[in-house]
Amino acid sequence: MEKNKQTEGTEKIITKYDRKMERRKLEKEKEEKKEKWLKIGGTGAGILAVGGIIFAILLTFHNKNLVLKNTYVKIGDHEVTKLEYDYYYKSIENNYYSYLSSLGLSNLNGGDDAMKDIYDEQTVTQIKEVKALADEAKKNGFVYNSDEEYKQLIQGMEESAKASSVTMSKYYKGLYGSYATVNNIEPFLKENLLAAAYRESLTEENRPGEEEVKKYYEENKNTYDSVDYRSFAFSSNIGEDTLEEEKNKAMEDIKKKAKAMEERRKAGEDFEALCIENANEEQKSLYENAEGKGSLTEGSSYGGTPVALSEWLFDEKRKSGDLTTLPDETNSQYYVVEFVKRYYDETKNETIENTIANEKVSKLLEDLTSQYTVADVAGELTYLTQNAKTK
């Protein structure tokens, strides 16, 4: 047997070529494993992505279900969903923004979070009143067909949505909340119309008689009487930085001028002519071109009269021709005032009737709503906890 011939059981000699081929084989296996795991990982990511979408859909459905069906707050025996709660909440919030807008102002309270407690409290109060009125209406057999009024209300909103270039769906969501639609808000709107109609009927039922109106007027004369008077204001032109001593001197100087005018008027001189004499150049035309009425104020109510003058003018002892000089410290002025007359306009009887009737209904409603307890089922009404702590 030849010596160079391998016998059975003899180990194979590993060459450089063999090692090279082995490395390639291992690298290929490594790449194949990597590719396999990438495919598995990609499939997993896809599964997770699809799962995420499904979860988001389920979450949206769950949230919608919570809003539409679950009890958010219980008021009396009424289980109020978040959908219904938002109907009232958004209405109050929108009214607040509209009020600020009418004043040319933006939100002065640091954002919605700062106002949430206020909105929540007003929302609960509003729901209580509507539920109480609706319950009483049904209890007392009050029937009201709101279909026509509801139809007109929807038409008005459709016109507003069109004018704002938004769909009715978007308009509703802006008015009443994210899940609001024309259909699911309809019951709340109609219940409000029923409550409003019943309250109006209660107001009519509680209208006072003539004697009650007369008695109410006698007890509140200042609120309903009017006065006519003449006046002229002497101003000191005191600045904010004026020293106290200088302010006192300036006020004393205009007081002397006012008293001098008062004395001359008492002596028989014309009030309007004295106004023209004492007015500055800018004011003179107000009196000269007013045909003797530049100093005359007619039909002034107690609340519409300058505070410095109201007590004196509405004193029941006042009589025509009474004259005085009155200080207005707030505005650094002195007035010369002459009383002309005080009177009552009987057309205000209807105003008094409405006031009495509304006060009676408000008291009735206060008694009714006091029986409606509030249960914060969702735990979102923090104002209830805060109010409890302050008691």
Side-chain angles (χ1 to χ4, degrees):
M1 185 180 289
E2 294 178 2
K3 292 183 180 180
N4 64 343
K5 190 176 182 179
Q6 287 184 325
T7 61
E8 190 177 350
T10 306
E11 292 185 4
K12 181 182 177 182
I13 298 171
I14 305 299
T15 66
K16 289 183 179 180
Y17 176 78
D18 291 329
R19 290 193 183 96
K20 183 177 180 181
M21 293 305 292
E22 184 66 22
R23 265 198 314 273
R24 285 186 179 181
K25 182 181 177 183
L26 290 172
E27 286 174 1
K28 184 178 180 181
E29 289 176 353
K30 186 177 179 182
E31 286 298 318
E32 286 175 349
K33 287 181 180 179
K34 183 178 179 182
E35 187 176 343
K36 180 180 178 182
W37 281 110
L38 283 173
K39 285 180 180 179
I40 293 171
T43 304
I47 291 169
L48 287 173
V50 172
I53 293 169
I54 293 171
F55 178 75
I57 292 170
L58 290 173
L59 183 61
T60 300
F61 177 80
H62 176 69
N63 288 341
K64 186 175 182 180
N65 195 54
L66 287 176
V67 169
L68 298 180
K69 296 182 179 180
N70 285 23
T71 302
Y72 184 75
V73 60
K74 188 174 181 181
I75 296 180
D77 294 329
H78 299 277
E79 295 184 351
V80 178
T81 63
K82 185 69 164 60
L83 176 70
E84 184 175 5
Y85 189 86
D86 283 352
Y87 163 81
Y88 290 94
Y89 186 96
K90 287 292 291 183
S91 296
I92 288 168
E93 183 183 51
N94 289 334
N95 285 338
Y96 174 74
Y97 287 142
S98 295
Y99 170 70
L100 288 184
S101 180
S102 70
L103 299 178
L105 302 172
S106 57
N107 194 345
L108 302 178
N109 296 279
D112 291 340
D113 289 344
M115 294 296 293
K116 184 179 181 300
D117 285 345
I118 295 173
Y119 292 152
D120 278 331
E121 188 164 8
Q122 290 179 359
T123 297
V124 169
T125 299
Q126 186 67 29
I127 296 174
K128 272 180 160 185
E129 291 183 358
V130 171
K131 296 298 182 186
L133 286 166
D135 288 346
E136 283 297 299
K138 293 170 186 174
K139 176 183 173 182
N140 295 310
F142 178 81
V143 178
Y144 178 70
N145 188 338
S146 62
D147 289 348
E148 186 58 35
E149 192 175 357
Y150 175 76
K151 182 180 176 181
Q152 292 174 2
L153 192 61
I154 294 298
Q155 286 175 347
M157 285 194 278
E158 286 174 346
E159 290 171 5
S160 296
K162 186 177 180 181
S164 301
S165 299
V166 297
T167 63
M168 192 63 168
S169 174
K170 188 173 182 181
Y171 186 77
Y172 247 62
K173 285 173 172 54
L175 278 181
Y176 303 125
S178 302
Y179 291 95
T181 68
V182 174
N183 290 332
N184 64 25
I185 293 297
E186 180 178 347
F188 313 144
L189 278 170
K190 286 190 172 180
E191 186 176 48
N192 268 265
L193 293 175
L194 169 66
Y198 186 64
R199 179 164 190 160
E200 188 176 336
S201 75
L202 288 176
T203 302
E204 290 304 311
E205 287 176 14
N206 284 278
R207 282 198 173 277
E210 187 177 332
E211 285 302 312
E212 192 174 355
V213 170
K214 184 177 180 182
K215 182 174 182 283
Y216 190 91
Y217 162 69
E218 290 295 331
E219 294 171 350
N220 299 275
K221 279 188 174 182
N222 281 0
T223 302
Y224 297 100
D225 278 353
S226 300
V227 294
D228 294 350
Y229 65 95
R230 290 185 180 275
S231 65
F232 181 83
F234 288 87
S235 299
S236 65
N237 297 319
I238 295 172
E240 292 183 2
D241 298 329
T242 307
L243 296 174
E244 193 65 29
E245 186 178 341
E246 293 175 346
K247 287 181 182 179
N248 293 337
K249 183 179 184 308
M251 287 294 286
E252 192 61 35
D253 288 344
I254 60 172
K255 180 181 179 180
K256 289 177 181 177
K257 291 179 181 179
K259 293 298 287 182
M261 178 176 168
E262 178 189 343
E263 293 303 318
R264 289 175 65 182
R265 173 59 179 154
K266 284 179 179 178
E269 293 189 49
D270 182 70
F271 197 100
E272 201 77 6
L274 289 169
C275 289
I276 293 171
E277 181 181 327
N278 286 284
N280 58 39
E281 291 305 315
E282 293 178 358
Q283 294 175 318
K284 285 186 187 298
S285 61
L286 298 175
Y287 299 99
E288 291 172 339
N289 303 322
E291 299 180 351
K293 293 186 176 182
S295 63
L296 181 64
T297 299
E298 297 178 295
S300 183
S301 65
Y302 185 88
T305 304
V307 175
L309 313 182
S310 55
E311 287 296 327
W312 185 83
L313 285 169
F314 280 83
D315 188 329
E316 290 194 359
K317 297 176 183 178
R318 235 24 351 106
K319 59 184 183 296
S320 181
D322 281 358
L323 191 72
T324 191
T325 295
L326 295 170
D328 178 3
E329 299 288 350
T330 302
N331 298 301
S332 303
Q333 298 181 135
Y334 262 94
Y335 281 95
V336 178
V337 192
E338 183 174 338
F339 180 81
V340 178
K341 64 178 179 178
R342 174 175 176 164
Y343 50 94
Y344 173 70
D345 182 352
E346 290 193 356
T347 61
K348 292 181 180 178
N349 281 351
E350 186 176 353
T351 302
I352 294 177
E353 287 177 17
N354 291 334
T355 300
I356 294 173
N358 285 324
E359 285 179 355
K360 289 180 179 178
V361 173
S362 293
K363 180 63 173 65
L364 173 64
L365 196 52
E366 185 180 334
D367 292 341
L368 286 173
T369 56
S370 66
Q371 302 169 34
Y372 285 67
T373 56
V374 180
D376 183 12
V377 178
E380 295 290 336
L381 306 182
T382 55
Y383 86 90
L384 289 172
T385 307
Q386 291 170 355
N387 287 351
K389 287 179 180 178
T390 58
K391 288 181 180 179

